Amino acid sequence: MSANTVAQEKSGASTTCFISAIGVENLGSLPSLLKALAAESGACGCVLWESVAPPGLGENGSDGYLVQLGQWFPEGHLCHPHPPLDSAISEAVLTQRPVHVGEDAFTDSRAFADAGLLERAGVKGAFVVPLNYGFGAVGAVSFFRQSADPFGPEEEARVERLASAVPFLYRANRNEVRCKLTSRIDKILGRGEARNPSRVPINHRVKRDLFQLCKAVADALKCGEVSIFLKDSTGGESALRLAATTRQEQSSKSSQQEGGGELNGWAAGKAAPVHVLDLCRVGGGGAPYEQLLPDLGLKGAPVGDGGGEDGDGASRPLSLAVAPITAGGELLGCIRCCTDAKDGRHLTTHDFKLLEFVAARFARYWDNWLRECGAHEERLSWLRRLQDITALDEFALDALSRGVADAERLICEKALGLAAAAIKGADFLDVRAADEGSEAPRLLAVCGEAWAGADATLRQSTLPYDEAADAAWADAFQKGGACLRAGDSIERFYADNFPGARHVMTSPIPLPGGRRAVLDVCGTGEESFSEHDSAFAEMICKRLGAYGHYAESLEKASAADAARAEALSRATQSEARLEELIQIHSQFHEDLSHQLKSPLISASTRGRKVLKQVSLENRLFKEWQAIIGLCSKATQVTNSTKLFAALARGEAFEPNLSPLWDDDLWKMLIELASDSELLFPPKRHVSFRVSRQMLVSLPPKMILAEVDNDLLQQALNNLLDNAGKYSFENTTVRISASFDKAGHFFISVVNQGLAIRAADVPKCTQRRWRGREAGLTTGEGSGLGLWIVEHIMKAHGGYLEIIPTTPNNLTEVRLVFPKRGEAR
Amino acid sequence: MKILLVEDDHFQIEDICEALDDAFPGVQIETVDSEYEFYVALERLEDSPPDVIIMDVMLRWAHPSPAMPPAPEEVVNGMHYRAGFRCLRRLAEHKEARKINVILYTVLQPVDIRADIEGLQGLPVNVVHLVKESGYGTFIRAVRDFNVNAK
């Protein structure tokens, strides 16, 4: 029966008790486990080993070796990471039997550089029990004793039973470590994943996350160095650069090149994991790592089984593991873990699997982060493009509004400049346009070095219009968007004149009317244009089309302005002409009035003189009366004409005021009444009577008002004429004068005839307004009578008062004058 | 001779009547001084038509009166300015009366009433236009010629 079999059979109650005695809280600490194991077995120290297969490093690797997983001694680390009991442990592993080690083994200075440590600690012997860790790994556990005597059978059996629990405990320990590390990594990376890359400084926060990740791995694996290298494509060449490390001297350096380039050769080239669990066993003969493992980028040389420090005090590496960080088959970087003599342990298979897990977890984080950053960059890129478009808008609107010469070309050149800057791989660009009905497009604007170096005649000549060009245009306009052509299918014009052209993106510009134009973006690189590039080109084209529409609307508006200006000019001319005509008419009316008035007054005066000499019985008396009446009527008309001419010119009357004496008024009224009566057909029997009742009660020689005699006579004539025309047959028009309660002097004319309704009173003084019935009862008149009277009274500072008709058809109209001395 | 004078100015009525009386002794003159009165007189003209109608153009509809006859809409709208032409159109509706010769005797010049004259074309009325002047020689000759031609 092998020791292992015995251990398995005896792993009964005592083992379970031992596991319980350790306590769950100690499962996470390998030294604590070993300490408990030593105490339980009565050993003075305990060391755990694992047998490791070579990593496939070719001829430089050994066939297999042991690595130390952990040790516990009361005095600290006494046992070198390289097994001091190599042969005994190997024997135990290979034979799967326990092996006793005597005191001699510790005094063999050839094998151990630090054998003195064990000796000074009083170690006299050891008992090595082989182990099966259960995941394809085997190893051993060494129990050190301060007695040279070997274990007795019972003691051996007890120790073997204890040893049988070690694989379980070790796995539990590793699981505990893995759980803690997983939790810690999730916390670190989860915080980063929740971060919005558009709102925080990316580099600073991410670097902190990466360092914390390294630190977490280093703490879990008890190793001195954990480094993360990430792929960096800046500058065109892809390389792995150090992004974060727990190595003190490295993190303080600004350069991140160390290790990166070499690791490229291995991890980036093969995208495969690397683990060298015992670097000291690699090769030999003092050859440097650069020769032994050129892919790993390690410096220095293996120091043999002793490990420790080299001459300059630097700690020699013991083990190393590299796990690539990949997402979707693409290498994003790698994470490297390294232990050295100070760490006092080798990396194990467990550690390496844990590192692979961390790399996979981080790959997810980093891939997501890159995507977020890419989206953010895309957003920023579009934001810049939109800002450029806004600037283009301002430029175009300003140029078009100001009517800048050759604005269309300038705007197109500006747009091409924006497209060249925003579209990746846009090496040379142009805008071609064909006028309505033309099939030969011409270049409107060009951009790019290729055009700068092109023949000048090429830029100025009309482009050849071939089938390919036709197809490109047709495709673009039919699709209503950008069309991509590459290789042999690009237009002959570009193929002939620009040999480097490999891609041409043609986008239609929706110009108004029958004009057609396209934007061509040409690239010479291998990579074609993206959907975003197409979208941006289309956006620029739509803008150019909109500017075309705007320019057309400006032209229309300009034409409309010109038409308006012409119409305004015509209106102004017409107005001037009208003004001139009014002046001519007005002048004519005034001249006419003057020329008629003098002879009419003379005729009237002479007629009255003759009439005095003709007796009433004489037949001529009536004739002379009629002549005088006609002269009076004609005089009224000439006066009205004169006043109307002045009012038509917009002039106010300037009355020539003089005192109106009561007896003068009386005479005036009598004469006007008499003349008015003559103007109307006798058969209608309308008479005019002046009532002097009020006036005789006044003191003699009283001044009634300040008046312009001519204007007053004109106003009274108009009132009496209206009164006579609209009176019923057999009625009397009564004329009187008096003072109202306020002391204002007024002259009143009352007639009985057609009614003036209260609602019509305000209208009576409107120019050319006549009441419905009044307009039907006369074959003459212009509707200006009361309008002129009102102006005359306003000129006097008084007013015209029309009192609506009473039920018995009496209508009164008054000329009301201001008190003497009252301001007009 | 029998004449119907349609005129609303009483001074002119007196003068025209006197001139006609001097030129055509024994002439019978009936005067009408408003549009409404002409329409009333039209009914009589069917039975006793005058030889000539002398028609003014600008006529009042009626004299002011408490019982003024209501005016048709066209009179209200057109007022007195072209009353003579309305009278002529009404005259053309009467089979007998429309045969009477009419002299449009007005102060309006031909250019002022060209459109109105053209508007009479096609109407079965015999009309001449004569502008009022200070003397009546032309007027009397026109009346005489019209009367002779009518016979």
Side-chain angles (χ1 to χ4, degrees):
Chain A
M1 181 182 293
S2 69
N4 204 41
T5 306
V6 172
Q8 286 175 353
E9 286 181 353
K10 294 177 180 176
S11 58
S14 61
T15 306
T16 307
C17 290
F18 166 66
I19 293 171
S20 302
I22 290 173
V24 177
E25 66 277 9
N26 291 321
L27 283 177
S29 169
L30 196 56
S32 298
L33 282 175
L34 294 173
K35 179 183 176 184
L37 198 60
E40 189 68 18
S41 63
C44 65
C46 206
V47 181
L48 203 59
W49 310 93
E50 182 184 350
S51 175
V52 178
L57 292 178
E59 297 175 353
N60 294 325
S62 62
D63 293 336
Y65 46 88
L66 290 163
V67 295
Q68 187 191 103
L69 302 181
Q71 61 177 300
W72 178 84
F73 289 95
E75 297 84 2
H77 284 193
L78 300 182
C79 191
H80 192 276
H82 299 97
L85 307 171
D86 196 357
S87 58
I89 297 169
S90 297
E91 181 185 347
V93 170
L94 290 172
T95 62
Q96 288 292 293
R97 290 175 180 278
V99 175
H100 285 280
V101 179
E103 191 175 5
D104 297 342
F106 306 109
T107 57
D108 186 354
S109 58
R110 292 171 302 175
F112 308 106
D114 57 350
L117 287 175
L118 290 171
E119 196 173 1
R120 281 195 293 276
V123 174
K124 304 288 187 185
F127 182 61
V128 182
V129 181
L131 297 176
N132 184 346
Y133 290 109
F135 45 89
V138 293
V141 56
S142 303
F143 297 91
F144 290 85
R145 303 173 56 206
Q146 290 177 321
S147 166
D149 300 331
F151 287 125
E154 289 184 2
E155 202 174 6
E156 279 187 12
R158 189 170 61 83
V159 172
E160 281 185 61
R161 279 200 302 276
L162 286 174
S164 66
V166 170
F168 168 77
L169 293 171
Y170 180 65
R171 286 200 301 274
N173 167 260
R174 291 294 92 188
N175 282 336
E176 185 71 12
V177 169
R178 179 190 178 108
C179 287
K180 284 185 178 176
L181 178 62
T182 303
S183 171
R184 195 170 166 189
I185 288 175
D186 282 345
K187 191 174 178 183
I188 294 167
L189 298 185
R191 194 171 56 224
E193 283 165 345
R195 199 171 291 139
N196 183 349
S198 65
R199 300 180 61 180
V200 297
I202 296 173
N203 290 339
H204 172 69
R205 299 293 178 91
V206 170
K207 276 187 175 179
R208 195 179 66 182
D209 289 349
L210 296 184
F211 176 75
Q212 287 184 347
L213 179 70
C214 292
K215 187 78 167 49
V217 175
D219 290 346
L221 302 186
K222 306 295 181 198
C223 55
E225 179 202 337
V226 175
S227 303
I228 293 176
F229 295 85
L230 293 172
K231 193 174 178 182
D232 182 7
S233 299
T234 54
E237 190 177 346
S238 179
L240 286 176
R241 297 179 192 281
L242 182 64
T245 181
T246 57
R247 207 163 22 158
Q248 203 64 32
E249 68 275 19
Q250 187 63 43
S251 60
S252 63
K253 291 180 181 175
S254 59
S255 168
Q256 297 183 339
Q257 293 294 332
E258 187 182 347
E262 295 82 352
L263 281 167
N264 261 351
W266 185 263
K270 299 179 180 176
V274 180
H275 57 282
V276 182
L277 302 184
D278 190 350
L279 290 167
C280 300
R281 300 300 182 100
V282 176
Y289 287 125
E290 286 90 332
Q291 285 183 12
L292 296 171
L293 299 168
D295 294 332
L296 296 185
L298 298 173
K299 291 181 177 177
V303 293
D305 292 346
E309 297 181 349
D310 57 12
D312 57 5
S315 188
R316 292 293 183 188
L318 291 178
S319 58
L320 175 141
V322 181
I325 301 166
T326 59
E330 184 188 357
L331 182 78
L332 306 178
C334 62
I335 180 167
R336 186 173 76 174
C337 187
C338 191
T339 63
D340 58 19
K342 285 183 180 175
D343 299 322
R345 66 181 294 267
H346 287 79
L347 292 169
T348 66
T349 307
H350 259 292
D351 296 335
F352 180 69
K353 289 186 182 301
L354 204 54
L355 194 65
E356 280 191 308
F357 163 76
V358 171
R361 175 67 182 87
F362 177 71
R364 205 169 69 222
Y365 162 86
W366 189 242
D367 184 47
N368 183 52
W369 180 257
L370 290 178
R371 286 175 193 278
E372 286 288 326
C373 289
H376 178 56
E377 278 302 314
E378 196 66 49
R379 280 196 294 274
L380 289 179
S381 169
W382 270 107
L383 188 62
R384 283 193 294 271
R385 288 175 174 183
L386 293 175
Q387 286 170 344
D388 289 343
I389 288 285
T390 304
L392 179 65
D393 283 345
E394 290 174 0
F395 176 81
L397 297 185
D398 179 62
L400 292 172
S401 302
R402 288 193 295 114
V404 173
D406 213 6
E408 188 179 40
R409 182 182 59 78
L410 294 174
I411 292 168
C412 286
E413 284 181 349
K414 179 98 173 168
L416 291 180
L418 293 185
I423 298 176
K424 189 179 174 185
D427 296 314
F428 55 99
L429 310 90
D430 66 70
V431 172
R432 291 179 284 161
D435 292 331
E436 185 174 5
S438 169
E439 290 191 340
R442 60 187 172 79
L443 282 169
L444 207 57
V446 296
C447 175
E449 289 184 7
W451 275 110
D455 186 357
T457 56
L458 191 65
R459 299 177 56 171
Q460 294 169 359
S461 63
T462 302
L463 293 177
Y465 193 79
D466 54 24
E467 289 182 3
D470 185 24
W473 280 59
D475 285 354
F477 279 100
Q478 187 176 2
K479 183 185 173 188
C483 288
L484 282 168
R485 290 173 168 246
D488 295 338
S489 67
I490 65 171
E491 291 180 26
R492 206 177 67 205
F493 173 76
Y494 295 106
D496 291 346
N497 297 294
F498 302 95
R502 300 178 70 172
H503 311 279
V504 179
M505 179 166 61
T506 303
S507 307
I509 300 172
L511 288 174
R515 289 188 74 200
R516 294 194 304 166
V518 290
L519 165 68
D520 295 305
V521 182
C522 306
T524 57
E526 289 186 6
E527 200 171 340
S528 184
F529 301 112
S530 68
E531 286 184 9
H532 286 294
D533 297 332
S534 300
F536 186 60
E538 287 170 3
M539 183 184 288
I540 286 183
C541 286
K542 284 178 183 171
R543 285 307 223 259
L544 292 176
Y547 303 151
H549 283 279
Y550 178 63
E552 189 183 56
S553 70
L554 283 179
E555 285 178 13
K556 285 180 182 174
S558 177
D561 285 346
R564 270 198 300 276
E566 191 181 339
L568 187 63
S569 172
R570 280 202 301 271
T572 307
Q573 289 175 4
S574 299
E575 194 178 356
R577 175 80 181 140
L578 187 62
E579 191 71 29
E580 187 184 10
L581 283 174
I582 289 173
Q583 287 294 333
I584 291 171
H585 279 235
S586 175
Q587 195 65 46
F588 175 73
H589 287 152
E590 198 164 313
D591 292 345
L592 185 71
S593 175
H594 276 297
Q595 289 178 31
L596 283 174
K597 193 173 179 180
S598 298
L600 284 171
I601 289 173
S602 295
S604 182
T605 307
R606 293 186 183 199
R608 289 179 199 282
K609 200 185 293 179
V610 172
L611 192 62
K612 286 180 182 174
Q613 296 170 7
V614 177
S615 65
L616 282 173
E617 293 76 20
N618 193 318
R619 180 177 171 273
L620 290 177
F621 186 86
K622 194 179 176 186
E623 293 297 326
W624 279 111
Q625 268 194 327
I627 290 170
I628 293 166
L630 288 169
C631 286
S632 176
K633 183 171 183 178
T635 305
Q636 286 179 38
V637 172
T638 56
N639 285 339
S640 289
T641 302
K642 183 184 173 187
L643 294 175
F644 175 73
L647 289 172
R649 287 197 301 270
E651 295 174 1
F653 297 145
E654 284 295 335
N656 184 19
L657 297 177
S658 60
L660 176 63
W661 295 91
D662 57 343
D663 52 349
D664 289 342
L665 175 66
W666 167 246
K667 288 176 187 172
M668 182 198 297
L669 294 179
I670 295 289
E671 195 168 311
L672 289 174
S674 173
D675 289 351
S676 296
E677 200 166 297
L678 294 174
L679 297 178
F680 296 99
K683 70 173 186 178
R684 292 188 62 231
H685 303 291
V686 175
S687 59
F688 289 77
R689 294 288 178 268
V690 177
S691 169
R692 206 186 172 196
Q693 197 170 16
M694 185 278 296
L695 292 179
V696 294
S697 65
L698 294 172
K701 287 292 178 184
M702 181 181 179
I703 296 174
L704 303 170
E706 296 283 337
V707 300
D708 181 313
N709 271 313
D710 285 346
L711 291 178
L712 178 58
Q713 281 195 40
Q714 181 62 36
L716 285 168
N717 270 326
N718 287 359
L719 294 187
L720 295 177
D721 187 49
N722 279 349
K725 280 191 292 192
Y726 304 131
S727 288
F728 297 151
E729 287 182 5
N730 301 314
T731 58
T732 300
V733 176
R734 300 192 179 279
I735 308 157
S736 61
S738 183
F739 288 88
D740 62 15
K741 291 178 182 175
H744 295 112
F745 173 70
F746 68 88
I747 301 170
S748 165
V749 176
V750 181
N751 77 312
Q752 187 175 13
L754 297 180
I756 298 177
R757 290 182 287 271
D760 290 337
V761 167
K763 301 175 189 172
C764 287
T765 52
Q766 289 177 7
R767 191 165 47 180
R768 295 192 62 75
W769 184 87
R770 286 201 288 194
R772 180 186 171 95
E773 290 179 332
L776 297 172
T777 56
T778 177
E780 58 181 27
S782 57
L784 296 171
L786 290 180
W787 178 67
I788 291 174
V789 172
E790 186 180 49
H791 277 85
I792 290 173
M793 292 314 294
K794 281 182 180 174
H796 279 88
Y799 58 92
L800 170 68
E801 184 180 14
I802 300 170
I803 300 168
T805 306
T806 60
N808 54 355
N809 295 320
L810 289 176
T811 304
E812 182 178 3
V813 180
R814 289 179 177 180
L815 302 178
V816 183
F817 293 88
K819 291 178 183 175
R820 291 190 67 200
E822 280 185 352
R824 284 197 295 126
Chain B
M1 188 162 67
K2 200 171 172 182
I3 293 175
L4 176 65
L5 175 61
V6 186
E7 173 63 61
D8 64 347
D9 186 307
H10 70 280
F11 287 118
Q12 290 192 44
I13 290 173
E14 286 180 19
D15 293 345
I16 291 170
C17 287
E18 194 171 312
L20 288 172
D21 202 35
D22 290 346
F24 308 104
V27 64
Q28 294 178 41
I29 304 172
E30 183 184 358
T31 60
V32 166
D33 65 354
S34 71
E35 187 178 354
Y36 174 72
E37 282 185 21
F38 175 76
Y39 294 157
V40 173
L42 259 179
E43 304 302 325
R44 298 196 303 272
L45 298 185
E46 289 287 303
D47 300 331
S48 175
D51 298 303
V52 178
I53 296 175
I54 298 168
M55 176 79 73
D56 193 7
V57 171
M58 292 196 282
L59 291 167
R60 66 169 68 89
W61 165 249
H63 285 288
S65 157
M68 231 172 80
E73 197 61 29
E74 61 172 342
V75 175
V76 173
N77 293 333
M79 293 179 60
H80 64 277
Y81 295 104
R82 295 296 181 264
F85 286 95
R86 286 198 296 269
C87 291
L88 287 177
R89 279 192 287 273
R90 185 70 72 88
L91 178 68
E93 295 171 1
H94 289 71
K95 279 188 178 178
E96 292 302 322
R98 69 192 180 194
K99 297 173 184 172
I100 306 169
N101 293 323
V102 180
I103 296 174
L104 269 179
Y105 194 47
T106 172
V107 293
L108 296 172
Q109 298 292 319
V111 68
D112 299 327
I113 55 173
R114 182 182 298 155
D116 301 284
I117 293 288
E118 287 173 0
L120 295 177
Q121 286 181 358
L123 288 180
V125 288
N126 188 18
V127 183
V128 293
H129 173 216
L130 200 63
V131 179
K132 283 179 181 173
E133 293 174 347
S134 57
Y136 289 98
T138 308
F139 168 69
I140 295 298
R141 275 196 299 277
V143 174
R144 181 177 290 125
D145 292 347
F146 230 161
N147 191 38
V148 170
N149 291 337
K151 291 176 178 176

